[in-house]
Coordinates of all heavy atoms in Angstrom, one line a residue:
R74 N -4.7 1.8 -11.4 CA -4.9 3.1 -12.0 C -6.3 3.4 -12.4 O -6.9 4.4 -12.2 CB -4.0 3.3 -13.2 CG -4.1 4.7 -13.9 CD -3.1 4.9 -15.0 NE -1.7 4.7 -14.5 CZ -0.8 4.1 -15.2 NH1 -1.0 3.5 -16.4 NH2 0.4 4.0 -14.7
E75 N -6.9 2.4 -13.0 CA -8.3 2.5 -13.5 C -9.3 2.3 -12.4 O -10.5 2.6 -12.5 CB -8.6 1.5 -14.6 CG -7.8 1.8 -15.9 CD -6.4 1.2 -15.8 OE1 -6.0 0.6 -14.8 OE2 -5.7 1.3 -16.8
T76 N -8.9 1.7 -11.3 CA -9.8 1.4 -10.1 C -11.0 0.6 -10.6 O -12.1 1.0 -10.4 CB -10.2 2.6 -9.4 OG1 -9.1 3.5 -9.2 CG2 -10.7 2.2 -8.0
D77 N -10.7 -0.5 -11.3 CA -11.9 -1.3 -11.8 C -11.5 -2.8 -11.6 O -10.4 -3.2 -11.2 CB -12.2 -1.0 -13.2 CG -11.1 -1.4 -14.2 OD1 -10.0 -1.7 -13.8 OD2 -11.4 -1.2 -15.4
L78 N -12.5 -3.6 -11.8 CA -12.4 -5.1 -11.5 C -12.5 -5.8 -12.9 O -13.5 -5.5 -13.6 CB -13.4 -5.6 -10.5 CG -13.6 -7.1 -10.3 CD1 -12.3 -7.6 -9.7 CD2 -14.8 -7.4 -9.5
I79 N -11.6 -6.6 -13.2 CA -11.7 -7.5 -14.4 C -11.8 -8.9 -13.9 O -11.0 -9.4 -13.1 CB -10.5 -7.3 -15.3 CG1 -10.3 -5.9 -15.8 CG2 -10.6 -8.3 -16.5 CD1 -9.1 -5.7 -16.6
F80 N -12.9 -9.6 -14.3 CA -13.2 -10.9 -13.8 C -13.5 -11.8 -15.0 O -14.3 -11.4 -15.9 CB -14.4 -10.8 -12.9 CG -14.6 -12.1 -12.1 CD1 -14.1 -12.2 -10.8 CD2 -15.3 -13.1 -12.6 CE1 -14.2 -13.4 -10.1 CE2 -15.5 -14.3 -11.9 CZ -15.0 -14.4 -10.6
G81 N -12.8 -12.9 -15.1 CA -13.1 -13.8 -16.2 C -12.3 -15.0 -16.2 O -11.8 -15.5 -15.1
S82 N -12.2 -15.7 -17.3 CA -11.4 -16.9 -17.4 C -10.1 -16.7 -18.0 O -9.9 -15.9 -18.9 CB -12.3 -18.0 -18.2 OG -12.5 -17.5 -19.5
K83 N -9.1 -17.5 -17.6 CA -7.8 -17.4 -18.1 C -7.8 -18.0 -19.5 O -8.5 -18.9 -19.9 CB -6.9 -18.2 -17.2 CG -5.4 -18.0 -17.4 CD -4.6 -18.7 -16.4 CE -3.2 -18.5 -16.6 NZ -2.4 -19.3 -15.6
H84 N -6.9 -17.5 -20.3 CA -6.7 -17.9 -21.7 C -6.4 -19.4 -21.7 O -5.6 -19.9 -20.9 CB -5.6 -17.1 -22.4 CG -5.4 -17.5 -23.8 ND1 -6.3 -17.2 -24.8 CD2 -4.3 -18.1 -24.4 CE1 -5.8 -17.7 -25.9 NE2 -4.6 -18.2 -25.7
D85 N -6.9 -20.1 -22.7 CA -6.7 -21.5 -22.9 C -7.1 -22.4 -21.7 O -6.5 -23.4 -21.5 CB -5.2 -21.8 -23.2 CG -4.9 -21.3 -24.6 OD1 -5.8 -21.1 -25.5 OD2 -3.7 -21.1 -24.8
T86 N -8.2 -22.0 -21.0 CA -8.7 -22.9 -20.0 C -10.0 -23.5 -20.6 O -10.5 -23.1 -21.6 CB -9.0 -22.2 -18.7 OG1 -9.9 -21.1 -18.9 CG2 -7.7 -21.7 -18.1
W87 N -10.6 -24.5 -19.9 CA -11.8 -25.1 -20.4 C -13.0 -24.2 -20.4 O -13.8 -24.4 -21.2 CB -12.1 -26.3 -19.5 CG -12.7 -25.9 -18.1 CD1 -12.0 -25.7 -17.0 CD2 -14.0 -25.7 -17.8 NE1 -12.8 -25.3 -16.0 CE2 -14.1 -25.4 -16.4 CE3 -15.2 -25.8 -18.5 CZ2 -15.2 -25.1 -15.8 CZ3 -16.4 -25.5 -17.8 CH2 -16.4 -25.2 -16.5
Y88 N -13.0 -23.1 -19.6 CA -14.1 -22.2 -19.6 C -13.7 -20.9 -20.2 O -12.9 -20.2 -19.5 CB -14.7 -22.0 -18.2 CG -16.0 -21.3 -18.2 CD1 -17.2 -22.1 -18.4 CD2 -16.1 -20.0 -18.2 CE1 -18.4 -21.4 -18.5 CE2 -17.3 -19.3 -18.3 CZ -18.5 -20.1 -18.4 OH -19.7 -19.5 -18.5
G89 N -14.0 -20.6 -21.3 CA -13.6 -19.4 -22.0 C -14.8 -18.6 -22.5 O -16.0 -18.9 -22.2
A90 N -14.5 -17.7 -23.3 CA -15.6 -16.8 -23.9 C -16.6 -17.6 -24.7 O -17.8 -17.3 -24.7 CB -14.9 -15.7 -24.8
D91 N -16.1 -18.7 -25.4 CA -17.0 -19.5 -26.2 C -18.1 -20.1 -25.3 O -19.2 -20.2 -25.7 CB -16.2 -20.6 -26.9 CG -15.4 -20.0 -28.1 OD1 -15.6 -18.8 -28.4 OD2 -14.5 -20.7 -28.6
Q92 N -17.7 -20.6 -24.1 CA -18.7 -21.2 -23.3 C -19.5 -20.2 -22.6 O -20.7 -20.5 -22.3 CB -18.0 -22.2 -22.3 CG -17.4 -23.4 -22.9 CD -16.9 -24.4 -21.9 OE1 -17.3 -24.4 -20.8 NE2 -16.1 -25.3 -22.4
E93 N -19.0 -19.1 -22.2 CA -19.8 -18.0 -21.5 C -20.8 -17.4 -22.5 O -22.0 -17.3 -22.1 CB -18.9 -16.9 -21.0 CG -19.6 -15.8 -20.3 CD -20.2 -16.1 -19.0 OE1 -19.9 -17.2 -18.4 OE2 -21.1 -15.3 -18.5
L94 N -20.4 -17.1 -23.7 CA -21.3 -16.4 -24.6 C -21.9 -17.3 -25.6 O -22.9 -16.9 -26.2 CB -20.4 -15.3 -25.4 CG -19.7 -14.3 -24.5 CD1 -18.9 -13.4 -25.3 CD2 -20.8 -13.5 -23.7
G95 N -21.3 -18.5 -25.8 CA -21.9 -19.4 -26.8 C -21.3 -19.2 -28.2 O -20.8 -18.2 -28.5
T96 N -21.4 -20.3 -29.0 CA -21.0 -20.2 -30.4 C -22.1 -20.9 -31.2 O -23.2 -21.3 -30.7 CB -19.7 -21.0 -30.6 OG1 -19.9 -22.4 -30.3 CG2 -18.6 -20.4 -29.8
R97 N -21.9 -21.0 -32.5 CA -22.9 -21.7 -33.3 C -23.1 -23.1 -32.9 O -24.2 -23.6 -33.0 CB -22.4 -21.6 -34.8 CG -23.4 -22.1 -35.8 CD -22.8 -21.9 -37.2 NE -21.5 -22.6 -37.2 CZ -20.9 -22.9 -38.3 NH1 -21.3 -22.4 -39.5 NH2 -19.7 -23.5 -38.3
N98 N -22.1 -23.8 -32.5 CA -22.2 -25.2 -32.1 C -22.3 -25.4 -30.6 O -22.5 -26.6 -30.2 CB -20.9 -25.9 -32.6 CG -20.7 -25.8 -34.1 OD1 -21.7 -25.8 -34.8 ND2 -19.5 -25.7 -34.5
Q99 N -22.3 -24.4 -29.8 CA -22.4 -24.6 -28.4 C -23.3 -23.5 -27.8 O -23.1 -22.3 -28.0 CB -20.9 -24.4 -27.8 CG -20.9 -24.6 -26.3 CD -19.4 -24.6 -25.9 OE1 -18.6 -25.3 -26.5 NE2 -19.1 -23.8 -24.9
P100 N -24.2 -23.9 -26.9 CA -25.1 -22.9 -26.3 C -24.3 -22.1 -25.2 O -23.3 -22.5 -24.7 CB -26.2 -23.8 -25.6 CG -25.5 -25.1 -25.4 CD -24.5 -25.3 -26.5
A101 N -24.8 -20.9 -25.0 CA -24.2 -20.0 -24.0 C -24.5 -20.6 -22.6 O -25.7 -20.9 -22.3 CB -24.7 -18.6 -24.1
R102 N -23.5 -20.6 -21.7 CA -23.7 -21.1 -20.3 C -24.0 -19.9 -19.4 O -24.7 -20.0 -18.4 CB -22.5 -21.8 -19.9 CG -22.4 -23.1 -20.6 CD -21.3 -24.0 -19.9 NE -21.1 -25.2 -20.8 CZ -20.4 -26.2 -20.4 NH1 -19.9 -26.2 -19.2 NH2 -20.2 -27.2 -21.1
G103 N -23.4 -18.8 -19.6 CA -23.6 -17.6 -18.8 C -23.3 -17.8 -17.3 O -23.9 -17.2 -16.5
L104 N -22.2 -18.6 -17.1 CA -21.9 -18.9 -15.7 C -21.4 -17.7 -14.9 O -21.8 -17.4 -13.8 CB -20.8 -20.0 -15.7 CG -20.5 -20.7 -14.4 CD1 -21.7 -21.5 -13.9 CD2 -19.4 -21.7 -14.6
I105 N -20.6 -16.9 -15.5 CA -20.0 -15.7 -14.9 C -21.1 -14.6 -14.7 O -21.3 -14.1 -13.6 CB -18.8 -15.1 -15.7 CG1 -17.7 -16.1 -15.7 CG2 -18.4 -13.8 -15.1 CD1 -16.5 -15.7 -16.6
K106 N -21.9 -14.4 -15.7 CA -23.0 -13.4 -15.6 C -24.0 -13.8 -14.6 O -24.5 -13.0 -13.8 CB -23.6 -13.2 -17.0 CG -24.7 -12.2 -17.0 CD -25.4 -12.1 -18.4 CE -26.5 -11.1 -18.3 NZ -27.2 -11.0 -19.6
G107 N -24.4 -15.1 -14.7 CA -25.4 -15.6 -13.7 C -24.9 -15.5 -12.3 O -25.7 -15.1 -11.4
T108 N -23.6 -15.8 -12.0 CA -23.1 -15.7 -10.7 C -23.1 -14.3 -10.2 O -23.5 -14.0 -9.0 CB -21.7 -16.3 -10.6 OG1 -21.7 -17.6 -11.1 CG2 -21.1 -16.2 -9.2
V109 N -22.8 -13.3 -11.0 CA -22.8 -11.9 -10.6 C -24.2 -11.5 -10.3 O -24.5 -10.8 -9.3 CB -22.2 -11.0 -11.7 CG1 -22.4 -9.5 -11.5 CG2 -20.7 -11.3 -11.9
M110 N -25.2 -11.8 -11.2 CA -26.6 -11.4 -11.0 C -27.2 -12.0 -9.7 O -27.9 -11.4 -9.0 CB -27.4 -11.7 -12.2 CG -26.9 -11.0 -13.5 SD -26.7 -9.3 -13.3 CE -28.4 -8.7 -13.3
E111 N -26.8 -13.3 -9.5 CA -27.4 -14.0 -8.3 C -26.8 -13.4 -7.0 O -27.5 -13.5 -5.9 CB -27.0 -15.4 -8.3 CG -27.7 -16.2 -9.4 CD -27.1 -17.6 -9.6 OE1 -26.2 -18.0 -8.8 OE2 -27.6 -18.3 -10.5
N112 N -25.7 -12.8 -7.0 CA -25.0 -12.2 -5.8 C -25.0 -10.7 -5.7 O -24.2 -10.1 -5.0 CB -23.6 -12.8 -5.7 CG -23.5 -14.3 -5.5 OD1 -23.9 -14.7 -4.5 ND2 -23.2 -15.0 -6.6
M113 N -25.9 -10.1 -6.5 CA -26.0 -8.6 -6.5 C -26.2 -8.0 -5.1 O -25.6 -7.0 -4.7 CB -27.1 -8.2 -7.4 CG -26.9 -6.7 -7.8 SD -25.4 -6.3 -8.7 CE -25.6 -7.1 -10.2
D114 N -27.0 -8.6 -4.3 CA -27.2 -8.1 -2.9 C -26.0 -8.2 -2.1 O -25.7 -7.2 -1.3 CB -28.4 -8.9 -2.2 CG -29.7 -8.6 -2.8 OD1 -29.9 -7.5 -3.5 OD2 -30.7 -9.4 -2.7
D115 N -25.2 -9.3 -2.2 CA -24.0 -9.4 -1.4 C -22.9 -8.4 -1.9 O -22.2 -7.8 -1.2 CB -23.4 -10.8 -1.5 CG -24.3 -11.8 -0.8 OD1 -24.9 -11.4 0.2 OD2 -24.3 -13.0 -1.2
I116 N -22.9 -8.1 -3.3 CA -22.0 -7.2 -3.8 C -22.3 -5.8 -3.3 O -21.4 -5.0 -2.9 CB -22.1 -7.2 -5.4 CG1 -21.5 -8.5 -5.9 CG2 -21.3 -6.0 -6.0 CD1 -21.8 -8.7 -7.4
R117 N -23.6 -5.4 -3.3 CA -24.0 -4.1 -2.7 C -23.6 -4.0 -1.2 O -23.2 -2.9 -0.8 CB -25.5 -3.9 -2.9 CG -25.8 -3.6 -4.4 CD -27.3 -3.3 -4.5 NE -27.7 -3.0 -5.9 CZ -28.5 -3.8 -6.6 NH1 -29.1 -4.8 -6.0 NH2 -28.8 -3.5 -7.8
R118 N -23.8 -5.1 -0.5 CA -23.5 -5.0 0.9 C -22.0 -4.8 1.2 O -21.6 -4.0 2.0 CB -24.0 -6.3 1.6 CG -23.7 -6.4 3.1 CD -24.0 -7.8 3.7 NE -23.4 -8.9 2.9 CZ -22.2 -9.2 3.0 NH1 -21.3 -8.5 3.8 NH2 -21.7 -10.3 2.3
I119 N -21.2 -5.5 0.4 CA -19.7 -5.4 0.6 C -19.3 -3.9 0.2 O -18.5 -3.3 0.9 CB -19.0 -6.4 -0.3 CG1 -19.2 -7.8 0.3 CG2 -17.5 -6.1 -0.4 CD1 -18.7 -8.9 -0.6
Q120 N -19.8 -3.4 -1.0 CA -19.4 -2.1 -1.4 C -19.9 -1.1 -0.4 O -19.1 -0.1 -0.1 CB -20.1 -1.8 -2.8 CG -19.5 -2.6 -3.9 CD -18.2 -2.2 -4.4 OE1 -17.8 -1.0 -4.2 NE2 -17.5 -3.0 -5.1
G121 N -21.1 -1.2 0.2 CA -21.6 -0.3 1.2 C -20.8 -0.3 2.4 O -20.6 0.8 3.1

Side-chain angles (χ1 to χ4, degrees):
R74 184 176 298 140
E75 294 85 357
T76 316
D77 63 355
L78 172 64
I79 299 175
F80 193 91
S82 61
K83 192 174 180 181
H84 180 68
D85 289 337
T86 58
W87 72 272
Y88 192 87
D91 289 346
Q92 290 191 17
E93 177 72 15
L94 303 174
T96 63
R97 185 178 56 171
N98 299 325
Q99 179 174 311
R102 293 189 185 192
L104 196 59
I105 295 172
K106 180 181 177 185
T108 303
V109 170
M110 299 309 286
E111 290 167 7
N112 293 290
M113 197 59 72
D114 289 337
D115 291 331
I116 293 170
R117 286 186 182 116
R118 182 186 48 77
I119 290 170
Q120 293 282 341

